[in-house]
Amino acid sequence: MTAQNISNTSTDVEDSVKSIDTADLLVRLKQHIAYLSDTIGIRNIENQANYQKLDQAADYICNTLKEMGLTPSEHTYEANYNGENFIMRNIEVVMEGTDPTKEIILIGAHYDTVKYSPGADDNGSGVAALLEIARHMTKYQGENVSTLKLVFFPNEECDYSKDQDTQASFGPNMGSVDYATKAKKKNETIKMIALESIGYFSDEPGSQQFPIFPFLFKRILGFSDVANNIHFVSNWHSRSFLKDCSKACNRQGGPSFPIQNLYVPEWLVPDIGRSDHKSFWLQGYEAIMITDTASLRNPNYHKATDVSDTVNYETFTKLVQNLFDMTKNLVGILD
């Protein structure tokens, strides 16, 4: 065998290891969401029983990451709700980059739910995608130029995220508020992506609603009223990062997932700040939300019917494959 043949064989093996088995990915995504929403169910700090389920979800995330050979860190803090104290866990995986001067790319998802919902789409889908991004990125450890942080947050949902004294949104109970505040104190340079409800799609005309002025979105901005796409959303300050993320979200050797980009001032469309990315805006960071738009298309949003079999797994799996490429491209990995 010639040296050239040896080199080619090595490359072929490496490509095989890094390739994506779409069928296996779909099965794993479905298993994650089913466990979180159907087996565990409602998970929050409404009471001790729900808190135990939230803790069970945190254990599931940690154990799944460990099975991948990763070492998750648990950053704990104390939350108070209805006079009870709870120990909360921000769960983090860090993949150090080769260039420490580069900005950190942080991708996050919240693992809690509202009071009455098992949260398959909101936000079992975001957690499932983030777990599989972690799995996929283990194949590239040591190749990323920028440091990658993957973080699972509790207490994104109201009323648990509110300041218990003032009732203001984005209070100290919120996992992403705690994380972003501490990151700023450490002078970390971060660009953040929140995966927020990303598993519901429809091909029916009129299935996509808009937060304000449908004419503006459909006629002027060119948005579709068919819910078969994903939305990249940011404030005006983060628009450059949004464009970078959208451009990076292309499957190599496969079709690009349909994306709608929206970057506007928050005062114009307040709903653009309804997730963990705003915690990073409040600290001056650039951050975006990737979302299926939740209540603007999903009839199960914040309801008991947000169960695993309402997720559109084939479309969701295609999206996650695009998120793999987005992640690799943002941290400087070139195949």
Side-chain angles (χ1 to χ4, degrees):
M1 182 178 288
T2 66
Q4 181 64 43
N5 286 338
I6 292 173
S7 176
N8 288 343
T9 301
S10 175
T11 302
D12 290 344
V13 171
E14 184 177 353
D15 289 344
S16 177
V17 169
K18 293 180 178 179
S19 65
I20 302 167
D21 188 315
T22 302
D24 285 350
L25 175 60
L26 187 152
V27 169
R28 287 195 301 270
L29 291 169
K30 195 169 187 176
Q31 287 173 340
H32 296 321
I33 293 174
Y35 189 82
L36 290 167
S37 60
D38 301 344
T39 302
I40 297 177
I42 300 166
R43 46 198 185 275
N44 51 49
I45 57 171
E46 180 69 26
N47 50 49
Q48 287 295 332
N50 286 8
Y51 172 64
Q52 289 177 9
K53 293 183 177 181
L54 184 65
D55 233 23
Q56 187 180 350
D59 287 341
Y60 176 77
I61 292 166
C62 287
N63 291 336
T64 302
L65 293 168
K66 289 174 182 176
E67 289 169 3
M68 299 174 191
L70 295 167
T71 306
S73 300
E74 298 184 31
H75 303 284
T76 60
Y77 68 97
E78 190 172 279
N80 179 276
Y81 184 74
N82 282 346
E84 291 192 81
N85 293 325
F86 302 89
I87 300 301
M88 312 309 303
R89 292 191 274 172
N90 281 325
I91 302 164
E92 177 187 57
V93 165
V94 180
M95 299 181 181
E96 296 288 351
T98 58
D99 186 348
T101 67
K102 296 287 187 180
E103 289 176 303
I104 295 164
I105 299 298
L106 189 155
I107 308 177
H110 73 87
Y111 60 92
D112 62 313
T113 71
V114 292
K115 188 174 182 179
Y116 298 113
S117 176
D121 186 37
D122 184 17
N123 189 32
S125 61
V127 172
L130 195 55
L131 285 171
E132 289 308 310
I133 289 171
R135 186 191 308 277
H136 188 65
M137 292 304 295
T138 60
K139 306 170 186 177
Y140 299 90
Q141 288 193 86
E143 297 180 37
N144 48 305
V145 178
S146 299
T147 292
L148 175 65
K149 294 189 176 184
L150 308 176
V151 189
F152 302 81
F153 301 113
N155 289 356
E156 184 271 349
E157 300 286 5
C158 283
D159 289 329
Y160 319 113
S161 60
K162 288 183 177 179
D163 187 303
Q164 295 302 289
D165 294 326
T166 67
Q167 290 300 295
S169 299
F170 293 86
N173 277 358
M174 196 170 176
S176 56
V177 166
D178 183 81
Y179 187 100
T181 302
K182 290 174 179 175
K184 190 67 174 182
K185 288 180 179 178
K186 292 185 289 186
N187 293 316
E188 290 188 333
T189 56
I190 291 173
K191 289 185 176 180
M192 189 270 184
I193 301 164
L195 305 180
E196 173 60 76
S197 304
I198 56 173
Y200 189 88
F201 305 93
S202 173
D203 291 322
E204 292 296 320
S207 54
Q208 178 67 59
Q209 305 300 311
F210 304 102
I212 58 169
F213 311 132
F215 178 83
L216 169 67
F217 277 86
K218 293 173 66 175
R219 299 298 183 185
I220 298 177
L221 298 178
F223 276 46
S224 172
D225 67 355
V226 179
N228 60 359
N229 49 49
I230 198 73
H231 287 225
F232 283 39
V233 179
S234 81
N235 60 4
W236 193 251
H237 174 68
S238 305
R239 66 190 184 280
S240 178
F241 182 51
L242 180 146
K243 293 174 184 177
D244 290 342
C245 293
S246 181
K247 183 179 179 181
C249 194
N250 292 313
R251 285 184 58 195
Q252 297 180 9
S256 298
F257 199 89
I259 298 171
Q260 300 277 16
N261 291 334
L262 178 66
Y263 45 94
V264 293
E266 190 180 3
W267 61 261
L268 179 62
V269 187
D271 279 356
I272 67 170
R274 287 180 56 192
S275 193
D276 293 302
H277 59 298
K278 183 171 178 177
S279 299
F280 290 80
W281 291 353
L282 293 171
Q283 298 301 325
Y285 291 118
E286 291 182 59
I288 76 165
M289 171 174 60
I290 298 178
T291 180
D292 61 21
T293 72
S295 60
L296 296 176
R297 71 167 64 167
N298 189 345
N300 307 297
Y301 175 72
H302 282 187
K303 296 179 181 178
T305 52
D306 187 11
V307 293
S308 64
D309 63 4
T310 63
V311 172
N312 308 99
Y313 287 101
E314 289 190 4
T315 306
F316 179 44
T317 301
K318 293 175 183 177
L319 170 63
V320 173
Q321 289 176 297
N322 279 258
L323 295 179
F324 289 167
D325 277 324
M326 179 195 74
T327 304
K328 290 191 300 179
N329 290 333
L330 289 175
V331 299
I333 293 172
L334 300 176
D335 283 340

